[in-house]
Amino acid sequence: DVILNGSGNRLTLTGNPTSLTVNGAMNQVKLETTLRIEVTGMQNTVTYKYGNPTVDDLGGSNVIRMR
């Protein structure tokens, strides 16, 4: 599991965590794949390369998509 707390971070993950949780604002996260993505906060961007993760968007103006 990967948990990111903060704002304005840019993170590129290698490997395939079971889940990704992003808490904060204006974070940019790229990853290969995961089973679950949860985003809390505003204006975060999460992109993944493949898969069909369960997505929980608990904030506003977040972008969570396959790239």
Side-chain angles (χ1 to χ4, degrees), residues 4-11 22-29 39-46 59-63:
L4 172 63
N5 295 311
S7 297
N9 296 293
R10 289 183 180 208
L11 182 64
V22 178
N23 301 309
M26 296 183 288
N27 294 296
Q28 295 180 11
V29 182
V39 179
T40 303
M42 299 190 65
Q43 298 178 343
N44 295 291
T45 301
V46 177
S61 300
N62 294 309
V63 175

Side-chain angles (χ1 to χ4, degrees), residues 18-60:
T18 303
S19 67
L20 170 67
T21 302
V22 178
N23 301 309
M26 296 183 288
N27 294 296
Q28 295 180 11
V29 182
K30 294 180 183 179
L31 70 158
E32 295 292 315
T33 190
T34 187
L35 297 176
R36 182 171 183 269
I37 298 170
E38 180 178 310
V39 179
T40 303
M42 299 190 65
Q43 298 178 343
N44 295 291
T45 301
V46 177
T47 57
Y48 54 94
K49 191 171 181 179
Y50 61 91
N52 189 24
T54 301
V55 174
D56 294 317
D57 183 355
L58 306 174

